[in-house]
Amino acid sequence: MSMLEIEPTALPDVKIITPKRHGDHRGFFSETYNRRDFLAAGLDFDFVQDNHSLSASVYTLRGLHFQSEPFAQVKLVRVPRGRILDITVDLRRSSPTYGRHVAVELSALNWRQLLVPVGFAHGFCTLEPETEVIYKVTNYYSAANDLGLAWDDPALGVEWPGHGAVTLSDKDRRHPRLLDLPPIFA
């Protein structure tokens, strides 16, 4: 019996995955990742690294990030504390959903995870203070292949919370718009 609930999104390759939680008077237990269950669901990925971020303030925005080949990454994103609006943008030029995005709320309460395939930019904005985000990736970090897409590109149509008051890194302020992005993922 699978311990995962898998939901489609408006971008067919992006999946919402919710692991089961087993609770009692002590709290709960959950397998947040089980390779056997993923394989049974047709999700065959070799995760090699876990990343963990803490954002102290509400409306901390991280993204939109991706890595180019040969270091492109599948990501499995979850929130063990707090709440985020997670955004994924299709960057595959030959895709019928090129340039479109999906927005999914992930939180410690809803226990959802987001599977972000290769060929997509990914970012999030915190909706609560002291929010932690953990994500597994299928390739190691490569500074030379670390790229991004402008979070506020009007062509994307993303409705970010706290738009006028987001906290960004200097690096995230300088990413190009979709129109100026070279064809990274054919």
Side-chain angles (χ1 to χ4, degrees), residues 4 12 24 45 70 73 116 119 134 168:
L4 302 173
D24 62 21
F45 304 109
Q73 301 171 322
V116 181
I134 297 174
L168 288 163

Side-chain angles (χ1 to χ4, degrees), residues 87-107:
I87 303 292
T88 303
V89 179
D90 190 347
L91 299 180
R92 302 166 303 165
R93 290 275 172 118
S94 62
S95 170
T97 58
Y98 173 75
R100 290 185 30 208
H101 76 278
V102 67
V104 177
E105 186 174 302
L106 304 178
S107 71

Side-chain angles (χ1 to χ4, degrees), residues 104-127:
V104 177
E105 186 174 302
L106 304 178
S107 71
L109 187 60
N110 72 21
W111 211 237
R112 296 166 129 189
Q113 299 181 33
L114 195 66
L115 183 70
V116 181
V118 166
F120 290 77
H122 171 258
F124 62 86
C125 183
T126 61
L127 302 174

Side-chain angles (χ1 to χ4, degrees), residues 10-149:
L11 300 177
D13 295 327
V14 178
K15 308 283 186 216
I16 298 169
I17 299 171
T18 308
K20 293 194 188 310
R21 285 200 282 199
H22 308 279
D24 62 21
H25 67 281
R26 302 167 295 168
F28 73 86
F29 172 82
S30 180
E31 287 183 355
T32 59
Y33 174 74
N34 180 304
R35 181 160 173 77
R36 185 176 47 234
D37 286 347
F38 269 65
L39 287 172
L43 304 172
D44 187 7
F45 304 109
D46 185 18
F47 292 107
V48 298
Q49 180 177 311
D50 282 3
N51 300 322
H52 189 150
S53 72
L54 167 70
S55 298
S57 302
V58 174
Y59 305 139
T60 297
L61 196 147
R62 296 178 187 259
L64 296 158
H65 304 144
F66 60 95
Q67 286 193 177
S68 62
E69 296 292 356
F71 290 94
Q73 301 171 322
V74 174
K75 296 178 181 179
L76 180 61
V77 184
R78 68 187 186 93
V79 176
R81 181 169 70 162
R83 191 166 57 103
I84 64 172
L85 181 66
D86 198 290
I87 303 292
T88 303
V89 179
D90 190 347
L91 299 180
R92 302 166 303 165
R93 290 275 172 118
S94 62
S95 170
T97 58
Y98 173 75
R100 290 185 30 208
H101 76 278
V102 67
V104 177
E105 186 174 302
L106 304 178
S107 71
L109 187 60
N110 72 21
W111 211 237
R112 296 166 129 189
Q113 299 181 33
L114 195 66
L115 183 70
V116 181
V118 166
F120 290 77
H122 171 258
F124 62 86
C125 183
T126 61
L127 302 174
E128 294 181 7
E130 303 298 318
T131 292
E132 294 186 48
V133 176
I134 297 174
Y135 56 100
K136 302 176 118 21
V137 293
T138 58
N139 217 329
Y140 298 103
Y141 174 75
S142 168
N145 299 82
D146 183 17
L147 301 170
L149 176 64

Side-chain angles (χ1 to χ4, degrees), residues 172-186:
D172 285 350
R173 290 180 195 282
R174 296 189 303 266
H175 293 311
R177 292 182 177 203
L178 186 64
L179 183 64
D180 301 321
L181 198 65
I184 308 288
F185 301 104

